[in-house]
Amino acid sequence: AQSVTQLDSQVPVFEEAPVELRCNYSSSVSVYLFWYVQYPNQGLQLLLKYLSGSTLVKGINGFEAEFNKSQTSFHLRKPSVHISDTAEYFCAVSDPFGNEKLTFGTGTRLTIIP
Amino acid sequence: DVKVTQSSRYLVKRTGEKVFLECVQDMDHENMFWYRQDPGLGLRLIYFSYDVKMKEKGDIPEGYSVSREKKERFSLILESASTNQTSMYLCASSPDGDEQFFGPGTRLTVL
């Protein structure tokens, strides 16, 4: 069985400061990894995904994430945040050879302080 | 532009009522999913379907059923709504082995 841990439920960051949102997973098989963002009163939108290849993945809105197999992590980073980045962020994992199910973490609420 | 639509953004129902939540996708995706989202719990999978008339239980199927009569439509049914089913319900679809595309969600309140 797979699981995802997002240790930080809330992260406050000053505008234009860097941010890292942490994600750790557990799985006995190879994985696909995803970061989704949910803006207030909206559904989830894909930020980026790791399927294979380069471990550094770049996504939309200036976000990037690095897949670290030895540490079973997929942390999300942005060098300089903006007020519009205020949202909830979800990390998710799936089994490439499984049944297309995604297992989500509990989410991290990012609040940008002006 | 890909699109997943859900029949209602907000819904208020009474305990014991039968509730239908509808989801439609226009991307010809094989797979469709229903999640509920609760604060501090993230998204939990209720049911999913990878073909017409096929369904699989997710992590929390109790109290719910689903129907997929056409490829583009996936319905979630609460046979007898209870207050602990008050939640945000999210529908998603995906092609094989790739990202899921989400609808805007239905916020259901059961009184």
Side-chain angles (χ1 to χ4, degrees):
Chain A
Q2 299 169 320
S3 66
V4 177
T5 302
Q6 292 182 250
L7 283 172
D8 305 308
S9 60
Q10 296 189 58
V11 173
V13 180
F14 285 104
E15 195 173 12
E16 298 184 6
V19 68
E20 179 178 83
L21 304 184
R22 296 181 293 168
C23 172
N24 287 88
Y25 68 92
S26 68
S27 175
S28 58
V29 297
S30 58
V31 294
Y32 288 162
L33 292 156
F34 305 82
W35 274 100
Y36 283 85
V37 61
Q38 185 179 35
Y39 298 107
N41 298 315
Q42 295 187 27
L44 274 68
Q45 176 184 354
L46 184 72
L47 268 181
L48 48 80
K49 60 186 177 184
Y50 171 79
L51 304 182
S52 65
S54 172
T55 57
L56 183 62
V57 180
K58 294 191 183 297
I60 62 171
N61 301 340
F63 284 92
E64 63 180 33
E66 185 152 21
F67 171 53
N68 188 320
K69 189 174 182 180
S70 63
Q71 297 190 7
T72 60
S73 68
F74 191 54
H75 301 331
L76 181 71
R77 296 191 291 259
K78 186 170 182 177
S80 176
V81 295
H82 189 265
I83 288 285
S84 60
D85 293 321
T86 295
E88 189 148 24
Y89 293 78
F90 292 94
C91 182
V93 63
S94 72
D95 176 358
F97 306 104
N99 54 14
E100 325 297 342
K101 284 173 55 178
L102 281 178
T103 300
F104 284 87
T106 52
T108 298
R109 185 170 298 278
L110 177 63
T111 301
I112 309 302
I113 305 165
Chain B
D1 197 18
V2 299
K3 203 162 179 87
V4 178
T5 56
Q6 295 183 228
S7 49
S8 306
R9 291 301 305 272
Y10 300 94
L11 208 53
V12 180
K13 295 292 182 180
R14 296 206 175 273
T15 303
E17 281 193 79
K18 191 168 186 176
V19 181
F20 293 86
L21 303 182
E22 305 285 341
C23 175
V24 177
Q25 52 101 358
D26 65 359
M27 298 164 282
D28 201 36
H29 286 166
E30 305 293 328
N31 309 302
M32 295 189 75
F33 307 82
W34 274 107
Y35 296 90
R36 63 176 284 175
Q37 181 182 11
D38 300 288
L41 297 178
L43 276 76
R44 294 178 292 167
L45 182 65
I46 304 171
Y47 268 97
F48 64 103
S49 167
Y50 45 84
D51 203 351
V52 175
K53 296 192 186 296
M54 303 292 287
K55 61 184 179 183
E56 293 275 346
K57 291 181 180 180
D59 300 316
I60 51 164
E62 295 79 18
Y64 304 94
S65 62
V66 291
S67 172
R68 192 160 180 208
E69 296 297 319
K70 294 185 177 182
K71 190 175 186 179
E72 67 271 18
R73 188 179 298 269
F74 192 36
S75 303
L76 180 70
I77 304 153
L78 287 65
E79 294 289 342
S80 177
S82 63
T83 54
N84 63 12
Q85 293 179 309
T86 291
S87 187
M88 171 71 91
Y89 290 88
L90 291 165
C91 174
S93 72
S94 76
D96 284 340
D98 209 323
E99 70 179 273
Q100 292 184 14
F101 296 85
F102 284 81
T106 296
R107 189 168 294 281
L108 172 67
T109 302
V110 182
L111 301 175

